[in-house]
Amino acid sequence: MPVSYVPLDPSLAHPIAGVRFAAVQAGVRKANRYDLLLAEFDEGTVVGGVFTLNRFAAAPVQVCREHLVASAHIRALLVNTGIANAATGELGLLNARASCASVAAALGVSEHQVLPFSTGVILEHLPMDRIDAGIHAAAAALKAEQFAAWDRVAQTIMTTDTVYKLASAQAIVGGKTISVSGIAKGAGMIQPNMATMLSFVFTDAAIAPALLQPLAKRVADASFNRVTVDGDTSTNDSYIIVATGKAGNPPVASLDSADAAALIKALEQVSLTLAQAIVRDGEGATKFITIAVSGGKDVTECDRIARAVAHSPLVKTAFFASDPNLGRILAAVGYGAPMDLDPAKVTVHLNDVLVAEKGGRAVSYSEADGARTMKNEDITVAIDLGRGSASQTVYTCDFSYDYVKINAEYRS
């Protein structure tokens, strides 16, 4: 079960005018589960997205990039689970494009106005007969106004997730109330280098089309690029912001405006909630860990040190065991730090307990205090480098026996 996380009641998620969903059981890899999601957008909808930097970027990622360049307005997105359509060569690209063509024909839009997404097992090809049948069933549901509710939408994109991820917020932009609602999936193979495994954030705010791409990058850097479960960057990571413009606000024309600040705050709130939910649902996770590095010369060194601690299997297994093995934390800080870091200036806290100072164990520290703190489900490792004003925060989880079990049995 996820660490201290209860999914949002779907009745509390704000509807987004101009967005409609259909979810079906297409049997992509397994029977009797919702595994294909089709979203349709009103004309004039604008989209921005950021994607994995993995050089084996999946076929749908490649096609999404092409379509976001080719079309100013996106009318639909398609998500299948079960098969990632990654490392599938030319046939994988043909299948991703064919799925877009199928959606386009079913909805009466251009295939370049369709964004495809896949998640699941790598190196397997999509069963296009089942994908095509699922698309037509989903399109029929949309035409009949049989729209999927938020919980069904979020559940349909899950793979090894144990719970769905859903978040929602509102803000005042240009004198109008705008809504933001988003979903995400992910539990393992998570160290995004752009955004997340899959996350789709929808808003009815009106935004100048040219701002969507920099907006997506900015929000991703403040949310999904701050989380890591296991240090693996997926082949399919995608983060998408969809803006329908139906809220009636004057279009946000600059990211430096007061209206943009309110919009960004709502987008970041939703996105960070989703990103943290992924870590809380990390495969086999029992602890949610915040690595907060401060006192650095620059953000880069703070980020590097935070990730060194967050990625260390020795640190993560110590947290699982509630073992205050401080040497593992200090060792990770040390190999993540630049050569000119002075260990004597570094302090480390576990929640409110000072555990290290002046290059070693704090005089006030006791093993009992460390063990007590490590038993908490939510733990903050606060590292002050004592050499500047820069800071960075990364969110991670522990490694448990179940992480190995889940990934060892992933394809079974």
Side-chain angles (χ1 to χ4, degrees), residues 19 90 150 155 196 286 298 403:
V19 178
E90 187 62 29
W150 277 118
Q155 289 163 356
T196 187
T286 69
D298 53 48
Y403 179 87

PDB file of all heavy atoms in Angstrom, residues 19 90 150 155 196 286 298 403:
ATOM      1  N   VAL A  19     -13.004  18.790 -22.308  1.00  0.00           N
ATOM      2  CA  VAL A  19     -12.288  17.512 -22.246  1.00  0.00           C
ATOM      3  C   VAL A  19     -13.286  16.402 -21.945  1.00  0.00           C
ATOM      4  O   VAL A  19     -14.089  16.513 -21.017  1.00  0.00           O
ATOM      5  CB  VAL A  19     -11.195  17.519 -21.154  1.00  0.00           C
ATOM      6  CG1 VAL A  19     -10.493  16.164 -21.088  1.00  0.00           C
ATOM      7  CG2 VAL A  19     -10.184  18.625 -21.408  1.00  0.00           C
ATOM      8  N   GLU A  90      11.101   0.040 -36.496  1.00  0.00           N
ATOM      9  CA  GLU A  90      10.235   0.706 -37.465  1.00  0.00           C
ATOM     10  C   GLU A  90       8.785   0.264 -37.324  1.00  0.00           C
ATOM     11  O   GLU A  90       7.866   1.072 -37.494  1.00  0.00           O
ATOM     12  CB  GLU A  90      10.729   0.418 -38.889  1.00  0.00           C
ATOM     13  CG  GLU A  90      10.010   1.190 -39.974  1.00  0.00           C
ATOM     14  CD  GLU A  90      10.177   2.700 -39.834  1.00  0.00           C
ATOM     15  OE1 GLU A  90      11.206   3.144 -39.296  1.00  0.00           O
ATOM     16  OE2 GLU A  90       9.254   3.434 -40.262  1.00  0.00           O
ATOM     17  N   TRP A 150     -13.454  10.474 -13.327  1.00  0.00           N
ATOM     18  CA  TRP A 150     -12.041  10.688 -13.032  1.00  0.00           C
ATOM     19  C   TRP A 150     -11.353   9.448 -12.463  1.00  0.00           C
ATOM     20  O   TRP A 150     -10.205   9.159 -12.806  1.00  0.00           O
ATOM     21  CB  TRP A 150     -11.890  11.852 -12.052  1.00  0.00           C
ATOM     22  CG  TRP A 150     -11.914  13.205 -12.670  1.00  0.00           C
ATOM     23  CD1 TRP A 150     -12.827  14.195 -12.429  1.00  0.00           C
ATOM     24  CD2 TRP A 150     -10.997  13.749 -13.624  1.00  0.00           C
ATOM     25  NE1 TRP A 150     -12.528  15.311 -13.177  1.00  0.00           N
ATOM     26  CE2 TRP A 150     -11.414  15.078 -13.917  1.00  0.00           C
ATOM     27  CE3 TRP A 150      -9.869  13.247 -14.265  1.00  0.00           C
ATOM     28  CZ2 TRP A 150     -10.729  15.900 -14.813  1.00  0.00           C
ATOM     29  CZ3 TRP A 150      -9.186  14.071 -15.160  1.00  0.00           C
ATOM     30  CH2 TRP A 150      -9.623  15.378 -15.430  1.00  0.00           C
ATOM     31  N   GLN A 155      -7.442   5.138 -13.179  1.00  0.00           N
ATOM     32  CA  GLN A 155      -7.176   3.704 -13.033  1.00  0.00           C
ATOM     33  C   GLN A 155      -6.734   3.071 -14.354  1.00  0.00           C
ATOM     34  O   GLN A 155      -5.911   2.147 -14.369  1.00  0.00           O
ATOM     35  CB  GLN A 155      -8.429   2.987 -12.525  1.00  0.00           C
ATOM     36  CG  GLN A 155      -8.778   3.295 -11.078  1.00  0.00           C
ATOM     37  CD  GLN A 155     -10.199   2.916 -10.719  1.00  0.00           C
ATOM     38  OE1 GLN A 155     -10.979   2.482 -11.562  1.00  0.00           O
ATOM     39  NE2 GLN A 155     -10.558   3.105  -9.458  1.00  0.00           N
ATOM     40  N   THR A 196       7.521  12.701 -15.828  1.00  0.00           N
ATOM     41  CA  THR A 196       7.226  11.460 -15.129  1.00  0.00           C
ATOM     42  C   THR A 196       6.969  10.347 -16.110  1.00  0.00           C
ATOM     43  O   THR A 196       7.034  10.524 -17.311  1.00  0.00           O
ATOM     44  CB  THR A 196       6.006  11.628 -14.216  1.00  0.00           C
ATOM     45  OG1 THR A 196       5.873  10.443 -13.452  1.00  0.00           O
ATOM     46  CG2 THR A 196       4.754  11.861 -15.008  1.00  0.00           C
ATOM     47  N   THR A 286       7.792   1.652   1.873  1.00  0.00           N
ATOM     48  CA  THR A 286       7.211   1.769   3.220  1.00  0.00           C
ATOM     49  C   THR A 286       7.521   3.117   3.854  1.00  0.00           C
ATOM     50  O   THR A 286       6.969   3.442   4.896  1.00  0.00           O
ATOM     51  CB  THR A 286       7.730   0.657   4.154  1.00  0.00           C
ATOM     52  OG1 THR A 286       9.127   0.869   4.428  1.00  0.00           O
ATOM     53  CG2 THR A 286       7.552  -0.722   3.539  1.00  0.00           C
ATOM     54  N   ASP A 298      25.617  26.407  -5.272  1.00  0.00           N
ATOM     55  CA  ASP A 298      24.665  26.554  -6.368  1.00  0.00           C
ATOM     56  C   ASP A 298      23.688  25.388  -6.332  1.00  0.00           C
ATOM     57  O   ASP A 298      23.888  24.399  -5.617  1.00  0.00           O
ATOM     58  CB  ASP A 298      25.372  26.642  -7.731  1.00  0.00           C
ATOM     59  CG  ASP A 298      26.338  25.493  -7.983  1.00  0.00           C
ATOM     60  OD1 ASP A 298      25.941  24.321  -7.763  1.00  0.00           O
ATOM     61  OD2 ASP A 298      27.484  25.741  -8.382  1.00  0.00           O
ATOM     62  N   TYR A 403      10.132  -4.602  -3.465  1.00  0.00           N
ATOM     63  CA  TYR A 403      10.614  -3.976  -4.696  1.00  0.00           C
ATOM     64  C   TYR A 403      11.242  -5.030  -5.602  1.00  0.00           C
ATOM     65  O   TYR A 403      10.986  -5.069  -6.810  1.00  0.00           O
ATOM     66  CB  TYR A 403      11.629  -2.871  -4.392  1.00  0.00           C
ATOM     67  CG  TYR A 403      12.169  -2.232  -5.647  1.00  0.00           C
ATOM     68  CD1 TYR A 403      11.505  -1.173  -6.247  1.00  0.00           C
ATOM     69  CD2 TYR A 403      13.327  -2.706  -6.259  1.00  0.00           C
ATOM     70  CE1 TYR A 403      11.968  -0.605  -7.422  1.00  0.00           C
ATOM     71  CE2 TYR A 403      13.806  -2.146  -7.428  1.00  0.00           C
ATOM     72  CZ  TYR A 403      13.120  -1.096  -8.011  1.00  0.00           C
ATOM     73  OH  TYR A 403      13.589  -0.552  -9.194  1.00  0.00           O
TER      74      TYR A 403
END
